[in-house]
Amino acid sequence: MAETTPRYQDDLYDAVNGEWEKTAVIAPDKSRTGGFSDLADDVEDKLMADFAAVAAGTKPAPDAYFEEATKLYKRAADFTARDAAGIQPALERLAPLAAVSDLVAFNAQAADLATALFPFPFRGSVDPDMKDTSVNKYSLTGPSTILPDTTYYAADNEQGQHLLAIWTDMAKQVLAQTDLSAADQAAYLADTLAFDAEIAKHVKSSEEWADYPKAYNPQSFDEVAAQLGDFDFAGFTAATLPAKPETVIVGDPRFLKEFTTLFNAETFPAYKHWAYVLELLDSTSYLSESLRQLGGTYSRALSGSPEAPSQPKHAYRLANSFYAEPVGIYYGKTYFGETAKADVTALVEKMIATYKRRLANSDWLSQPTKDKAIIKLDKMVLKMGYPDQAHAIFAQLKVPAEADLLTTVITLAQIRHADNLVKLTKPVDRTEWAMPGHLVNACYDPSRNDITFPAAILQAPFYALDQTASQNLGGIGAVIAHEISHGFDNNGAQFDEFGNMNNWWQDADYAHFKELTQAMIDQFDGRETEAGKANGKLIVSENIADAGGLAAALETAKALPDYDGHEFFINWSRIWRQKARLELQKMFLAVDVHAPAKLRANVQPQNLADWYTTFDVQPGDGMYLAPDQRITIW
């Protein structure tokens, strides 16, 4: 029996994207294709060609930043030198860590080891204070686990066992190339796995981190120091920070409370071996080709990609990772331009106006809460396309002369790390951009109450001059309103117009909002996908933003003289087109705060009355949802 194309009324995603998915091919060095991924690939191809041309001398560097980035690109691409050096740069780097004998010696050298960026039993950084975002504070969290999430360590998680076996085999092969004895190699590996398993018992899961206001737990310096046990926190911070942090923002209080179980004089050898092995494996990306291939085995298993990126792609991505903002400015000016920047800014302002109307007409918000929400919209900062100039830190990122690639990367990373720590005594810089201009993405920052729309996302199918206004609003319009909605999702709603965590709600309104949030959790929780069941709690913030974004974009589109609902909903589905390897899908179900693409395309239209009138969706159709089950928040 011949296959038939699904009806829109039964499966919007498959009706729009099914034929494409049948023939779409995922490149061997990639984990997915379609939608965002295709645009990102096109951007990468353009910039790789530009880097190659500048490196070859056939094109002049457009600015000093690009020139410096090209130096890093050329060093990364010099596999003759990398192959000749082999594993030696990593062994030389690891020597100071290997020489530390015990916890007493570690305390004496902790500042130097942290400055050298070796893995630590906790992570410290400087970030805006959530309750006063004009000032920076020192923040402390636990280390990462080898597996993507703590849930992978459950005894019945077969995927976790499978991945850890791959990681273990990879680590064993890399350790075999060091100067450690066979007995030491085995001991280092066993200790690493044991220390990692212990970390997993004490740190938050991705679901817990998704509720990010709960990461705000200020404690006094003395409270934190006491919980760190025999680690000399006072000496460490005195040597690494520009001032003593009287208050420390603890991201995971349980981890800190249980820290001495993980790290003490007895467990120090296991920590040291864990740090050695993790740093060794991280270093493989900057060593010989054989080590780069071997050291990428585990990450390819996570994503399902059969092949590593090509050498030129690897070199480009490394250069881009350090010089992303100036590269994004170059991309924006070269491939986007000021006219398009002005067009999309106008579109964002139009969407904010729609949002104000929707808030004003809300049938469940009280007037005082509406007034505060509209003030928050009025104060929202728009960062469109690309910044006018690169941040000052990029002028400091100078590629050292005559250094191997690993040393070069560590030197640049140290400059960035030092720049972060020095912010402790400086006011928060609200002009910083969260994303570079060539990233195919967008974001909202609750601590700055700003939205960032990089130039690279402003392409078809999201936005194009030859698409109709209805199509553009179903694409970029919904994405824009999605980011605006993040100011009012379960996390963003707890921050005011200045980005401070502050309750601006009337109590009854917030109680009802929490009920609606729970309804959104329930609407997605347990939905089956090819890779498993969705976790409604993990993905709720993005789903609230999708719901608000689609509704606001639809209202804007309906005001058009030539509004076409079919075009609007079809393009909404088209932008979520994705074909991904099963391994990546499984990982995203565990750690990604976004719903799987097909659920994003299909679930939110069902909450809107216009979906049913546009496509004549009736009870019994696959995309029908009873009126009392439809959720409207914003």
Side-chain angles (χ1 to χ4, degrees):
M1 185 174 178
E3 289 187 31
T4 57
T5 302
R7 300 163 64 241
Y8 294 112
Q9 296 92 329
D10 290 323
D11 191 326
L12 174 64
Y13 181 89
D14 279 356
V16 174
N17 303 308
E19 288 301 313
W20 166 84
E21 192 167 352
K22 289 176 185 175
T23 57
V25 176
I26 305 173
D29 66 339
K30 292 187 170 65
S31 57
R32 53 186 164 175
T33 189
F36 287 75
S37 302
D38 288 351
L39 292 186
D41 292 346
D42 180 63
V43 170
E44 186 170 71
D45 289 345
K46 286 185 171 75
L47 289 172
M48 280 182 63
D50 290 342
F51 264 87
V54 173
T58 58
K59 178 178 180 176
D63 54 43
Y65 303 115
F66 207 107
E67 185 174 0
E68 209 65 30
T70 304
K71 291 179 186 176
L72 179 57
Y73 169 86
K74 291 170 72 174
R75 188 161 296 173
D78 185 359
F79 278 89
T80 301
R82 291 172 63 167
D83 289 344
I87 201 171
Q88 192 59 32
L91 300 183
E92 292 173 5
R93 166 158 170 72
L94 288 162
L97 177 65
V100 180
S101 56
D102 54 26
L103 183 52
V104 173
F106 180 75
N107 274 327
Q109 299 172 55
D112 290 339
L113 293 169
T115 301
L117 306 181
F118 285 110
F120 252 54
F122 64 85
R123 290 183 294 179
S125 62
V126 174
D127 306 287
D129 185 310
M130 281 191 190
K131 285 202 170 180
D132 181 2
T133 54
S134 66
V135 299
N136 286 304
K137 292 285 177 64
Y138 187 73
S139 301
L140 186 148
T141 60
S144 297
T145 54
I146 291 171
L147 296 174
D149 187 58
T150 57
T151 55
Y152 280 70
Y153 291 83
D156 60 350
N157 191 313
E158 294 181 4
Q159 180 72 357
Q161 296 170 24
H162 171 68
L163 287 170
L164 204 55
I166 292 172
W167 184 92
T168 301
D169 182 64
M170 175 188 73
K172 189 180 295 184
Q173 291 187 57
V174 176
L175 280 165
Q177 299 187 43
T178 67
D179 51 6
L180 294 171
S181 68
D184 281 347
Q185 291 172 35
Y188 273 50
L189 185 53
D191 281 349
T192 298
L193 290 167
F195 196 77
D196 174 68
E198 189 65 29
I199 291 171
K201 297 175 185 176
H202 304 293
V203 297
K204 285 183 178 180
S205 67
S206 296
E207 180 185 307
E208 291 172 302
W209 280 118
D211 187 350
Y212 54 75
K214 286 188 177 176
Y216 186 77
N217 304 281
Q219 296 186 22
S220 72
F221 181 90
D222 290 343
E223 284 180 286
V224 172
Q227 292 172 88
L228 289 174
D230 292 332
F231 178 74
D232 181 11
F233 190 55
F236 173 75
T237 51
T240 56
L241 298 178
K244 180 181 178 180
E246 297 297 342
T247 300
V248 176
I249 310 301
V250 179
D252 188 347
R254 181 173 65 89
F255 163 77
L256 183 57
K257 185 178 180 181
E258 300 169 0
F259 179 78
T260 54
T261 303
L262 174 70
F263 185 79
N264 54 56
E266 289 185 8
T267 64
F268 178 78
Y271 154 73
K272 187 178 108 169
H273 294 161
W274 167 85
Y276 184 100
V277 173
L278 261 58
E279 186 60 29
L280 173 66
L281 295 178
D282 281 349
S283 298
T284 57
S285 292
Y286 318 113
L287 301 175
S288 66
E289 173 64 3
S290 62
L291 282 165
R292 180 179 83 94
Q293 292 283 345
L294 177 57
T297 306
Y298 174 65
S299 64
R300 292 195 295 277
L302 280 176
S303 67
S305 305
E307 295 180 8
S310 68
Q311 291 182 356
K313 189 173 290 185
H314 157 79
Y316 160 74
R317 288 179 178 175
L318 179 57
N320 178 64
S321 70
F322 281 98
Y323 296 93
E325 185 165 278
V327 169
I329 293 171
Y330 162 77
Y331 172 86
K333 289 180 176 178
T334 306
Y335 299 105
F336 185 63
E338 292 294 333
T339 302
K341 192 174 180 179
D343 285 347
V344 74
T345 301
L347 186 56
V348 173
E349 290 168 347
K350 182 185 293 186
M351 208 59 62
I352 288 176
T354 299
Y355 228 96
K356 285 183 183 178
R357 287 195 304 273
R358 293 184 64 79
L359 285 169
N361 295 330
S362 171
D363 60 4
W364 63 274
L365 285 178
S366 67
Q367 195 59 47
T369 303
K370 287 181 182 181
D371 293 343
K372 287 285 191 180
I374 289 171
I375 287 172
K376 185 171 183 178
L377 278 176
D378 285 336
K379 294 286 187 181
M380 197 171 279
V381 176
L382 311 182
K383 295 178 178 177
M384 299 290 109
Y386 48 91
D388 294 329
Q389 59 185 22
H391 195 269
I393 177 62
F394 293 98
Q396 300 177 40
L397 292 176
K398 300 293 185 183
V399 175
E402 305 302 323
D404 62 78
L405 180 61
L406 177 59
T407 302
T408 299
V409 167
I410 297 300
T411 300
L412 295 174
Q414 286 175 309
I415 294 169
R416 292 198 306 198
H417 180 65
D419 180 67
N420 173 255
L421 296 184
V422 80
K423 291 177 181 178
L424 184 62
T425 54
K426 295 181 178 181
V428 171
D429 181 0
R430 290 180 176 269
T431 67
E432 289 183 346
W433 280 54
M435 291 179 170
H438 59 310
L439 187 67
V440 182
N441 211 329
C443 68
Y444 171 79
D445 183 347
S447 291
R448 285 179 166 84
N449 192 29
D450 68 17
I451 51 176
T452 302
F453 276 91
I457 198 173
L458 303 168
Q459 304 178 61
F462 296 91
Y463 170 82
L465 293 175
D466 59 357
Q467 290 184 169
T468 68
S470 293
Q471 288 174 316
N472 281 338
L473 284 165
I476 197 63
V479 174
I480 289 168
H482 166 105
E483 299 306 338
I484 296 170
S485 297
H486 271 310
F488 308 97
D489 68 19
N490 60 305
N491 289 320
Q494 299 181 57
F495 296 79
D496 65 19
E497 69 270 27
F498 301 109
N500 297 321
M501 193 159 68
N502 178 29
N503 183 10
W504 47 270
W505 293 71
Q506 296 294 302
D507 290 346
D509 293 340
Y510 196 68
H512 187 58
F513 174 67
K514 289 178 75 173
E515 291 175 5
L516 292 170
T517 298
Q518 186 59 51
M520 188 65 76
I521 291 172
D522 295 341
Q523 189 173 67
F524 280 81
D525 196 50
R527 284 187 179 253
E528 291 286 354
T529 73
E530 181 185 11
K533 293 181 179 180
N535 179 345
K537 191 173 180 182
L538 175 66
I539 59 180
V540 65
S541 64
E542 294 294 334
N543 289 333
I544 291 172
D546 273 352
L550 187 61
L554 177 63
E555 181 173 312
T556 306
K558 287 172 67 179
L560 297 169
D562 56 350
Y563 165 67
D564 186 320
H566 289 83
E567 291 181 345
F568 176 88
F569 283 110
I570 287 170
N571 205 41
W572 161 259
S573 179
R574 186 176 291 117
I575 66 173
W576 301 119
R577 171 181 292 180
Q578 179 177 273
K579 187 173 185 177
R581 300 190 191 278
L582 188 61
E583 295 88 343
L584 184 75
Q585 293 181 53
K586 288 180 178 179
M587 181 174 70
F588 278 0
L589 277 179
V591 304
D592 191 7
V593 294
H594 302 85
K598 184 171 182 177
L599 293 185
R600 296 185 81 172
N602 276 356
V603 176
Q604 297 302 347
Q606 297 176 60
N607 288 318
L608 299 170
D610 286 88
W611 163 249
Y612 300 90
T613 56
T614 301
F615 287 95
D616 190 28
V617 181
Q618 299 295 328
D621 291 339
M623 291 281 292
Y624 181 84
L625 193 64
D628 63 346
Q629 294 180 304
R630 299 172 196 171
I631 302 169
T632 300
I633 302 180
W634 301 117

